[in-house]
Structures are given as C-alpha cells and as structure tokens.
Amino acid sequence: MDEQAPPPPDLDPTRASPARVYDYLLGGKEHLEADRRAAHAMRNVVPEVGEIAKDNRSFLRRGVSYLVREAGIRQILDIGSGLPGEGNVNELAQAIDSDVRVAYVDNDPVVLAHARALLATDDQTGVVTGDLRRPATIFEAVAGQRLLDLDEPFAVLLSGVVHHLSDDDAPDRVVATVREHLSPGSHLLLSHFLDDDEPRAAALERAFLHGGLGSGRFRTWADLRGYFDGLELVEPGLVYANDWRPDALTATESPVRTLYAAGVGRKA
Ligand SMILES: C[S@@+](CC[C@H](N)C(=O)[O-])C[C@H]1O[C@@H](n2cnc3c(N)ncnc32)[C@H](O)[C@@H]1O
C-alpha cells in the first residue's frame, strides 16, 4: 500500500463527490451541479438507482440497532461516514443506549466540516480525518483521540465505502488490516455494491466509473465474502442487504435488491 497520504477528494465544485452524489440520491440538500450530473448518468442506466442508497441506509439502521441492542456494542467506529442527514449513527445508537460512543471518519473535507458542526456536539461523539486506503493510520488517530478504547469490543462500520476503493487500492488488504485491529468480541459491518451476474450491475458500474463520479465498483459474492475472512458471520450471513434481518420498514420488494449486499461479522 502507498505510504504517501492519498489526496483527499477534490474541493473543485466542478467534480462530483461520493458523499454529495449519495446525498442527492437520498433526497438531501448538499449537492452541486456536478453531483446531479453524475447521478443522472446513473439513472439513465438504472432509473431506480436511488433505491440502492435508501436500501443501504435502511440496512445501516437495522445493523446499528442489532449491534447496540443485541450484540452489546458500546463503541462504534464509522469509516466513510458521509454527510449528516436523517438517522445519523450516533443518534440511532444513543437512542438505544445513551452511553454509546461514536467516532466518525471520512476523507472528504466537506463531510468532515459538516460532521464537526452537526454531529460532534457532545463528548460521546467525535470526528477524525482519515483515509480508508491507509487503515492503520485511522486506528492510530482514533486511539490518540481517546474517545474509543480499542482494547475493548467495538464495531467498525464500512457502510457503502469499500466500493469506492479501486482494485489498485487493494481493498482486500485494506479490510484485512481493519480486521487485524479488531479486539475480541468486536464486529465488522460492511455493505457494498454487488455484481450478481446481471447486466444492470455492469452497466451501473460503468456509469459510476465513467459518468462523472469516478468510483463505485460492483464486486462478486466471493470478493465480498473475503472481506469477512476469519470472522463469524452473524445470522443470516452475507446476503442481499434487504434480506439482512428485515423489519417492517425494509423494502423487501426493492427493484434493486440484487445490486447490493451486506453482512455483519464478529471476531471471536
Ligand atoms: C456512499 S457514502 C456512505 C455514507 C454512510 N457510510 C452510509 O452508509 O450512509 C460514502 C462515504 O465514504 C467516504 N469515502 C470514500 N472514499 C473514502 C476513503 N478512501 N476514506 C474515507 N472515506 C471515504 C465518502 O466521502 C462518503 O462520505
């Protein structure tokens, strides 16, 4: 892996960013013309692409609820946390148990500024600048911040972020490094674009990569299973995101359910 710090996303307003395109697809307000253009290139090939973003948020809500309510997690490291919006991780987790501490990590200066202003408003919630392509550096910075005790069980959230790493970024090595940093009893939640061998996945990947955003890989079940190597998969395992412990709010009939997968693993 490159020892040099990779550059953060461009502040150039003529270039789309993953956080703002996602915000646009979710119906938020933090987006620019370049983001909307990139999103429209995606909609041209899969008109319901916005449902993937919504399905991901729904999985994240259920996953955080499981981690805090059932797995007893009280510390969360959310890497690639995104722009604050509805149902932020610290709000979801602290509504279940007010003792939960959350460290948010992102590499996008716009995300970091919003997170510092809107989320890190109490001493249970912090924000760290970090790039997933340099995972060891993230753990060093989080340990230095002293909000989370990384010797105790914690959960790492990699929700909708690993697919923004290119193959050259060696995502399997990146996620392996994340797993190495998990203490016993810790959990990894991961969700990702899925290439389940259907033409829409390939077409949408082309739109992500070449339609203005420049990132968004659709990977196979085998690729995604590798991210959980050595962890015990929590039931029901690695599945279409909407099949992961669906509740009354889950869009079980989503037209894009086969384009997105998710799972939660536990380190013994
Ligand atoms: C699609 S959003 C997901 C937001 C949130 N995790 C969720 O699931 O709703 C992806 C986020 O990952 C961040 N991101 C992309 N590449 C990253 C990297 N190499 N390191 C850290 N964050 C990254 C983007 O800035 C963006 O905020």
Side-chain angles (χ1 to χ4, degrees):
M1 235 169 292
D2 192 353
E3 288 302 310
Q4 295 293 312
D10 227 314
L11 279 175
D12 177 353
T14 64
R15 294 173 64 114
S17 86
R20 292 192 312 255
V21 170
Y22 184 65
D23 183 75
Y24 177 63
L25 292 171
L26 284 172
K29 295 194 173 69
E30 296 296 332
H31 41 81
L32 304 172
E33 183 52 35
D35 306 306
R36 294 187 285 274
R37 262 204 313 273
H40 291 151
M42 298 165 192
R43 278 195 182 136
N44 279 340
V45 291
V46 175
E48 310 91 348
V49 60
E51 301 303 309
I52 302 181
K54 290 180 188 148
D55 291 348
N56 182 49
R57 286 305 296 183
S58 173
F59 163 71
L60 181 60
R61 174 184 56 76
R62 300 193 306 281
V64 168
S65 171
Y66 167 82
L67 290 167
V68 179
R69 213 185 284 282
E70 296 186 46
I73 289 296
R74 292 295 173 270
Q75 316 189 83
I76 297 177
L77 175 54
D78 183 1
I79 305 178
S81 49
L83 286 160
E86 229 177 87
N88 297 306
V89 165
N90 66 312
E91 294 158 1
L92 294 170
Q94 288 159 2
I96 301 169
D97 187 316
S98 56
D99 283 345
V100 179
R101 280 162 286 144
V102 178
Y104 287 112
V105 179
D106 210 285
N107 69 338
D108 181 334
V110 177
V111 169
L112 293 162
H114 280 76
R116 291 200 167 99
L118 298 175
L119 302 178
T121 53
D122 57 44
D123 53 14
Q124 307 267 111
T125 311
V127 177
V128 174
T129 303
D131 195 303
L132 182 56
R133 290 169 288 182
R134 302 182 83 217
T137 318
I138 292 180
F139 284 93
E140 271 165 39
V142 170
Q145 187 192 38
R146 294 179 183 277
L147 175 65
L148 307 188
D149 177 351
L150 301 179
D151 294 327
E152 293 293 318
F154 59 96
V156 172
L157 313 184
L158 293 177
S159 171
V161 60
V162 176
H163 50 226
H164 290 297
L165 302 190
S166 70
D167 293 351
D168 288 346
D169 292 327
D172 44 355
R173 290 215 317 263
V174 165
V175 182
T177 303
V178 169
R179 290 195 308 272
E180 281 160 21
H181 282 81
L182 298 177
S183 53
S186 292
H187 288 64
L188 171 66
L189 172 153
L190 190 146
S191 63
H192 199 293
F193 294 140
L194 175 67
D195 174 2
D196 197 12
D197 221 9
E198 60 166 306
R200 287 191 308 171
L204 196 50
E205 181 180 79
R206 276 195 298 277
F208 268 87
L209 297 179
H210 308 298
L213 182 56
S215 67
R217 282 279 284 110
F218 284 64
R219 296 193 167 99
T220 63
W221 287 113
D223 292 331
L224 303 193
R225 261 192 300 275
Y227 298 148
F228 292 96
D229 259 4
L231 303 183
E232 297 163 356
L233 276 172
V234 167
E235 284 296 314
L238 174 66
V239 292
Y240 296 133
N242 290 345
D243 292 346
W244 199 91
R245 298 178 180 240
D247 60 16
L249 299 176
T250 309
T252 44
E253 303 295 319
S254 166
V256 288
R257 65 190 285 277
T258 56
L259 293 172
Y260 209 71
V264 175
R266 178 182 185 279
K267 180 134 168 185

